[in-house]
Amino acid sequence: MSHARLPWRIALPFAAFVLVGSILLVALTWWSVREDESRDFAALARTNAEFLRRMTLPPSERMASQLGEVLNVSVYFRHRDTGILTPAPTQEILQRGLSLVRLPADGWTHAFEGLEAVAIPIGDLRDLVFVRPEVRLPAILQHPRTLAMLGVFWFLALAFGWALARGLVLPLRHLAKQLPAIETPGPISLPEASRQDEIGDVARAFLRTREALQSERVQRAQAEKLAVLGRMTAALAHEIQNPVSAIKMHAQLWPGGEEEGRITAKTIEHEAARIESLVSQWMYLSKPQPPTMRRVDLATVLRQVLQVHQPQLEHAQIHTSLEVPAEFTVRGDSRRLAQVFSNLLVNAIQAMPMGGTLRVEGISDEKGTTIAFMDSGKGFSKEALSRFSEFFFTEKEGGMGIGLSVAAEIVKAHQGELRVENREQGGASVLVLLPPAKQ
């Protein structure tokens, strides 16, 4: 029943419009037909008066009776001076108060209480008088002109009603039926969205709202999963960090001696540092802390990061170059920025398994500071370009999908931005955009 409310709200006013229009059309047709009938009646009287004048027929009662039978009207001959009528007026005329004596002989039709009369001179002392009933409404309704006009009007109203139902009522009913589907996942068919009118706007707004609702649900579910994972990560990272710190400390305290022992200690220290870095990232994901803002020499931080990863770079046969200005400072957290650069460096190493080149360039001006990591690998896929900062998204076998995500979050915490793009000459370019140091 709820879906029928709109059709009734449109059908009832439309039916009222058709009814009022039909009444007005009948009234207009009635007036038009009466005018035409009155003119025809007067023309008939003038024609017969002219016939009587030319034929010099006697104005007798018999002539009036015969003429009335032929024309289906009441015919009288009136003496102009005495006002005597031949034949005498009927009882109906007398009851309606129609005074044929005072009727002007002007050749025009005059109406009196449901009767029409016209008087025309036919001689020096005689007038021809025609009398008939007025045209009634039933006769008007049966008149061909009325039937034709009503037929055309009803046909146009029916066509307009059909177009209104097809173009407005049915699409709105379809939209109303689709409203419960706003909470249902999956595709939905809504042909009204292709219309270039207000209904199309409503349909497209419905689809956008539905898409936004579905996206919000997906994001909320993902956020809930991340929250649970974050709590698990925090607990796990806390349990791992203590033994890793102890391993690293004992590796650093390894006594000098044989070369093999020093290599072993260095390996233990390096791998412990990798675990420590991974734990640090997990800790940042689970409980991100705002950066400690200080003046940072980016050139020094970049050199330290490159030095830490030099064994990996050499093993992967990657040649690196660093080009930064002499004065290259920003306000930020040096430990967090080092984490960003380290993640980008590891990402570049993984992108070039067969070796290649990595250029790190930095520029600084009044608009801000930019650090670019440009490798000669295969570049990013189309999906990776749009989802690189999404947590746990990765296209690498065995990857965790947190390196670029953590880097993007840290840069964002520094009021900056992380951008990725593919270079025309091949390879990828990752840009770290930071605000000016004065901010």
Side-chain angles (χ1 to χ4, degrees), residues 54-87:
R54 284 187 300 182
M55 301 300 294
T56 63
L57 296 174
S60 62
E61 183 176 346
R62 180 181 177 185
M63 177 60 67
S65 176
Q66 291 178 345
L67 195 60
E69 289 179 2
V70 172
L71 300 177
N72 196 27
V73 296
S74 299
V75 181
Y76 300 92
F77 293 107
R78 182 181 65 182
H79 194 281
R80 198 172 301 151
D81 290 340
T82 61
I84 298 175
L85 296 172
T86 303

Short mmCIF file of all heavy atoms in Angstrom, two decimals, residues 54-87:
data_model
loop_
_atom_site.label_atom_id
_atom_site.label_comp_id
_atom_site.label_asym_id
_atom_site.label_seq_id
_atom_site.Cartn_x
_atom_site.Cartn_y
_atom_site.Cartn_z
N ARG A 54 -40.99 37.90 -52.08
CA ARG A 54 -40.89 37.77 -53.53
C ARG A 54 -42.08 37.02 -54.12
O ARG A 54 -42.53 37.29 -55.24
CB ARG A 54 -39.59 37.04 -53.91
CG ARG A 54 -38.36 37.95 -53.78
CD ARG A 54 -37.14 37.27 -54.33
NE ARG A 54 -36.86 36.02 -53.61
CZ ARG A 54 -35.82 35.24 -53.87
NH1 ARG A 54 -34.97 35.57 -54.82
NH2 ARG A 54 -35.64 34.15 -53.19
N MET A 55 -42.54 36.01 -53.38
CA MET A 55 -43.65 35.21 -53.90
C MET A 55 -45.00 35.83 -53.60
O MET A 55 -46.03 35.32 -54.08
CB MET A 55 -43.60 33.80 -53.29
CG MET A 55 -42.30 33.05 -53.59
SD MET A 55 -42.01 32.83 -55.35
CE MET A 55 -43.37 31.75 -55.78
N THR A 56 -45.03 36.92 -52.82
CA THR A 56 -46.29 37.61 -52.44
C THR A 56 -47.34 36.64 -51.95
O THR A 56 -48.51 36.67 -52.34
CB THR A 56 -46.83 38.42 -53.63
OG1 THR A 56 -47.16 37.51 -54.70
CG2 THR A 56 -45.83 39.44 -54.08
N LEU A 57 -46.85 35.72 -51.04
CA LEU A 57 -47.77 34.76 -50.46
C LEU A 57 -48.55 35.41 -49.33
O LEU A 57 -48.02 36.27 -48.60
CB LEU A 57 -47.00 33.54 -49.94
CG LEU A 57 -46.26 32.73 -51.02
CD1 LEU A 57 -45.42 31.65 -50.36
CD2 LEU A 57 -47.26 32.10 -51.99
N PRO A 58 -49.81 35.01 -49.14
CA PRO A 58 -50.65 35.66 -48.12
C PRO A 58 -50.19 35.26 -46.71
O PRO A 58 -49.90 34.08 -46.46
CB PRO A 58 -52.04 35.13 -48.42
CG PRO A 58 -51.81 33.79 -49.06
CD PRO A 58 -50.56 33.96 -49.87
N PRO A 59 -50.13 36.23 -45.78
CA PRO A 59 -49.75 35.92 -44.39
C PRO A 59 -50.92 35.34 -43.62
O PRO A 59 -51.45 35.94 -42.67
CB PRO A 59 -49.32 37.28 -43.87
CG PRO A 59 -50.13 38.26 -44.65
CD PRO A 59 -50.33 37.68 -46.01
N SER A 60 -51.32 34.15 -43.97
CA SER A 60 -52.48 33.52 -43.36
C SER A 60 -52.07 32.51 -42.30
O SER A 60 -50.90 32.12 -42.20
CB SER A 60 -53.33 32.81 -44.44
OG SER A 60 -52.56 31.78 -45.06
N GLU A 61 -53.07 32.06 -41.55
CA GLU A 61 -52.80 31.06 -40.51
C GLU A 61 -52.36 29.74 -41.14
O GLU A 61 -51.51 29.05 -40.60
CB GLU A 61 -54.07 30.86 -39.69
CG GLU A 61 -53.88 29.89 -38.54
CD GLU A 61 -55.14 29.80 -37.67
OE1 GLU A 61 -56.03 30.64 -37.79
OE2 GLU A 61 -55.17 28.85 -36.85
N ARG A 62 -52.94 29.40 -42.29
CA ARG A 62 -52.58 28.17 -42.98
C ARG A 62 -51.12 28.22 -43.43
O ARG A 62 -50.38 27.23 -43.30
CB ARG A 62 -53.51 27.95 -44.15
CG ARG A 62 -53.20 26.68 -44.92
CD ARG A 62 -54.14 26.54 -46.09
NE ARG A 62 -53.80 25.34 -46.85
CZ ARG A 62 -54.40 25.00 -47.99
NH1 ARG A 62 -55.38 25.78 -48.51
NH2 ARG A 62 -54.04 23.90 -48.64
N MET A 63 -50.71 29.40 -43.98
CA MET A 63 -49.33 29.54 -44.43
C MET A 63 -48.36 29.40 -43.26
O MET A 63 -47.32 28.76 -43.35
CB MET A 63 -49.16 30.90 -45.11
CG MET A 63 -47.73 31.20 -45.56
SD MET A 63 -47.08 29.98 -46.74
CE MET A 63 -48.14 30.32 -48.15
N ALA A 64 -48.73 30.01 -42.12
CA ALA A 64 -47.87 29.91 -40.93
C ALA A 64 -47.75 28.48 -40.46
O ALA A 64 -46.67 28.00 -40.07
CB ALA A 64 -48.43 30.80 -39.83
N SER A 65 -48.88 27.73 -40.48
CA SER A 65 -48.87 26.35 -40.04
C SER A 65 -48.01 25.49 -40.96
O SER A 65 -47.21 24.67 -40.49
CB SER A 65 -50.30 25.82 -40.00
OG SER A 65 -50.30 24.45 -39.65
N GLN A 66 -48.18 25.66 -42.28
CA GLN A 66 -47.41 24.85 -43.22
C GLN A 66 -45.92 25.18 -43.13
O GLN A 66 -45.07 24.27 -43.16
CB GLN A 66 -47.93 25.10 -44.64
CG GLN A 66 -49.31 24.55 -44.89
CD GLN A 66 -49.81 24.87 -46.30
OE1 GLN A 66 -49.25 25.74 -46.99
NE2 GLN A 66 -50.90 24.19 -46.70
N LEU A 67 -45.61 26.47 -43.02
CA LEU A 67 -44.19 26.85 -42.91
C LEU A 67 -43.56 26.33 -41.63
O LEU A 67 -42.41 25.89 -41.59
CB LEU A 67 -44.08 28.38 -42.99
CG LEU A 67 -42.68 28.96 -43.25
CD1 LEU A 67 -42.14 28.45 -44.58
CD2 LEU A 67 -42.73 30.50 -43.26
N GLY A 68 -44.34 26.33 -40.55
CA GLY A 68 -43.83 25.81 -39.28
C GLY A 68 -43.56 24.33 -39.31
O GLY A 68 -42.59 23.83 -38.71
N GLU A 69 -44.46 23.58 -40.01
CA GLU A 69 -44.25 22.14 -40.11
C GLU A 69 -43.00 21.82 -40.93
O GLU A 69 -42.26 20.87 -40.61
CB GLU A 69 -45.48 21.50 -40.77
CG GLU A 69 -46.71 21.50 -39.87
CD GLU A 69 -47.92 20.88 -40.57
OE1 GLU A 69 -47.73 20.43 -41.73
OE2 GLU A 69 -48.99 20.82 -39.97
N VAL A 70 -42.77 22.60 -41.98
CA VAL A 70 -41.60 22.35 -42.82
C VAL A 70 -40.32 22.68 -42.07
O VAL A 70 -39.32 21.94 -42.14
CB VAL A 70 -41.71 23.16 -44.13
CG1 VAL A 70 -40.40 23.06 -44.93
CG2 VAL A 70 -42.87 22.68 -44.96
N LEU A 71 -40.32 23.79 -41.35
CA LEU A 71 -39.09 24.26 -40.68
C LEU A 71 -38.96 23.77 -39.24
O LEU A 71 -37.92 24.02 -38.60
CB LEU A 71 -39.05 25.79 -40.70
CG LEU A 71 -39.06 26.44 -42.10
CD1 LEU A 71 -39.10 27.96 -41.97
CD2 LEU A 71 -37.86 26.00 -42.91
N ASN A 72 -40.00 23.14 -38.69
CA ASN A 72 -39.99 22.63 -37.31
C ASN A 72 -39.80 23.76 -36.30
O ASN A 72 -39.07 23.62 -35.32
CB ASN A 72 -38.91 21.55 -37.13
CG ASN A 72 -39.11 20.75 -35.88
OD1 ASN A 72 -40.24 20.61 -35.40
ND2 ASN A 72 -38.00 20.22 -35.33
N VAL A 73 -40.49 24.88 -36.57
CA VAL A 73 -40.48 26.01 -35.65
C VAL A 73 -41.91 26.55 -35.58
O VAL A 73 -42.78 26.19 -36.39
CB VAL A 73 -39.51 27.12 -36.10
CG1 VAL A 73 -38.07 26.63 -36.10
CG2 VAL A 73 -39.90 27.66 -37.46
N SER A 74 -42.17 27.41 -34.63
CA SER A 74 -43.47 28.10 -34.54
C SER A 74 -43.40 29.37 -35.37
O SER A 74 -42.50 30.20 -35.16
CB SER A 74 -43.81 28.42 -33.09
OG SER A 74 -43.90 27.22 -32.32
N VAL A 75 -44.36 29.55 -36.31
CA VAL A 75 -44.35 30.69 -37.23
C VAL A 75 -45.62 31.53 -37.00
O VAL A 75 -46.72 30.97 -36.87
CB VAL A 75 -44.29 30.22 -38.70
CG1 VAL A 75 -44.26 31.43 -39.65
CG2 VAL A 75 -43.05 29.34 -38.91
N TYR A 76 -45.40 32.85 -36.93
CA TYR A 76 -46.53 33.77 -36.73
C TYR A 76 -46.36 34.93 -37.70
O TYR A 76 -45.24 35.31 -38.05
CB TYR A 76 -46.56 34.31 -35.30
CG TYR A 76 -46.69 33.23 -34.25
CD1 TYR A 76 -45.54 32.66 -33.67
CD2 TYR A 76 -47.94 32.78 -33.84
CE1 TYR A 76 -45.65 31.67 -32.72
CE2 TYR A 76 -48.04 31.78 -32.88
CZ TYR A 76 -46.90 31.23 -32.33
OH TYR A 76 -47.01 30.25 -31.39
N PHE A 77 -47.53 35.51 -38.07
CA PHE A 77 -47.56 36.76 -38.83
C PHE A 77 -48.10 37.82 -37.88
O PHE A 77 -49.17 37.64 -37.28
CB PHE A 77 -48.44 36.64 -40.07
CG PHE A 77 -47.88 35.69 -41.11
CD1 PHE A 77 -48.46 34.45 -41.32
CD2 PHE A 77 -46.77 36.06 -41.86
CE1 PHE A 77 -47.93 33.57 -42.26
CE2 PHE A 77 -46.26 35.18 -42.82
CZ PHE A 77 -46.83 33.94 -43.01
N ARG A 78 -47.37 38.92 -37.74
CA ARG A 78 -47.76 39.97 -36.79
C ARG A 78 -48.10 41.25 -37.56
O ARG A 78 -47.33 41.68 -38.45
CB ARG A 78 -46.61 40.22 -35.81
CG ARG A 78 -46.94 41.26 -34.75
CD ARG A 78 -45.74 41.45 -33.84
NE ARG A 78 -44.58 42.02 -34.55
CZ ARG A 78 -43.40 42.25 -33.99
NH1 ARG A 78 -43.20 41.90 -32.73
NH2 ARG A 78 -42.43 42.75 -34.69
N HIS A 79 -49.25 41.84 -37.17
CA HIS A 79 -49.62 43.13 -37.74
C HIS A 79 -48.87 44.20 -36.98
O HIS A 79 -48.92 44.26 -35.75
CB HIS A 79 -51.15 43.35 -37.64
CG HIS A 79 -51.63 44.48 -38.48
ND1 HIS A 79 -51.50 45.80 -38.12
CD2 HIS A 79 -52.24 44.47 -39.70
CE1 HIS A 79 -52.00 46.57 -39.06
NE2 HIS A 79 -52.49 45.76 -40.06
N ARG A 80 -48.19 45.02 -37.70
CA ARG A 80 -47.26 45.95 -37.07
C ARG A 80 -47.99 47.03 -36.26
O ARG A 80 -47.48 47.48 -35.22
CB ARG A 80 -46.38 46.58 -38.13
CG ARG A 80 -45.10 47.23 -37.57
CD ARG A 80 -44.21 47.65 -38.71
NE ARG A 80 -43.86 46.50 -39.54
CZ ARG A 80 -43.60 46.57 -40.82
NH1 ARG A 80 -43.66 47.73 -41.46
NH2 ARG A 80 -43.29 45.48 -41.51
N ASP A 81 -49.17 47.46 -36.70
CA ASP A 81 -49.87 48.54 -35.99
C ASP A 81 -50.70 48.02 -34.83
O ASP A 81 -50.64 48.54 -33.72
CB ASP A 81 -50.78 49.28 -36.97
CG ASP A 81 -49.98 50.10 -37.98
OD1 ASP A 81 -48.78 50.39 -37.68
OD2 ASP A 81 -50.50 50.42 -39.06
N THR A 82 -51.43 46.93 -35.08
CA THR A 82 -52.33 46.42 -34.02
C THR A 82 -51.64 45.39 -33.12
O THR A 82 -52.08 45.14 -32.01
CB THR A 82 -53.55 45.76 -34.66
OG1 THR A 82 -53.12 44.65 -35.47
CG2 THR A 82 -54.30 46.77 -35.53
N GLY A 83 -50.54 44.75 -33.59
CA GLY A 83 -49.85 43.72 -32.83
C GLY A 83 -50.56 42.39 -32.80
O GLY A 83 -50.20 41.51 -32.03
N ILE A 84 -51.57 42.21 -33.64
CA ILE A 84 -52.32 40.95 -33.68
C ILE A 84 -51.45 39.89 -34.34
O ILE A 84 -50.82 40.13 -35.38
CB ILE A 84 -53.64 41.14 -34.44
CG1 ILE A 84 -54.51 42.16 -33.71
CG2 ILE A 84 -54.36 39.80 -34.58
CD1 ILE A 84 -55.79 42.50 -34.45
N LEU A 85 -51.43 38.69 -33.75
CA LEU A 85 -50.63 37.57 -34.25
C LEU A 85 -51.53 36.56 -34.94
O LEU A 85 -52.65 36.25 -34.46
CB LEU A 85 -49.89 36.89 -33.11
CG LEU A 85 -48.84 37.73 -32.38
CD1 LEU A 85 -48.33 36.99 -31.17
CD2 LEU A 85 -47.69 38.06 -33.31
N THR A 86 -51.07 36.07 -36.05
CA THR A 86 -51.76 35.01 -36.78
C THR A 86 -50.78 33.85 -36.98
O THR A 86 -49.72 34.04 -37.58
CB THR A 86 -52.23 35.52 -38.14
OG1 THR A 86 -53.08 36.66 -37.95
CG2 THR A 86 -53.00 34.43 -38.88
N PRO A 87 -51.12 32.67 -36.42
CA PRO A 87 -52.23 32.35 -35.51
C PRO A 87 -51.99 32.91 -34.11
O PRO A 87 -50.93 33.50 -33.85
CB PRO A 87 -52.23 30.83 -35.54
CG PRO A 87 -50.80 30.45 -35.74
CD PRO A 87 -50.25 31.49 -36.68
#
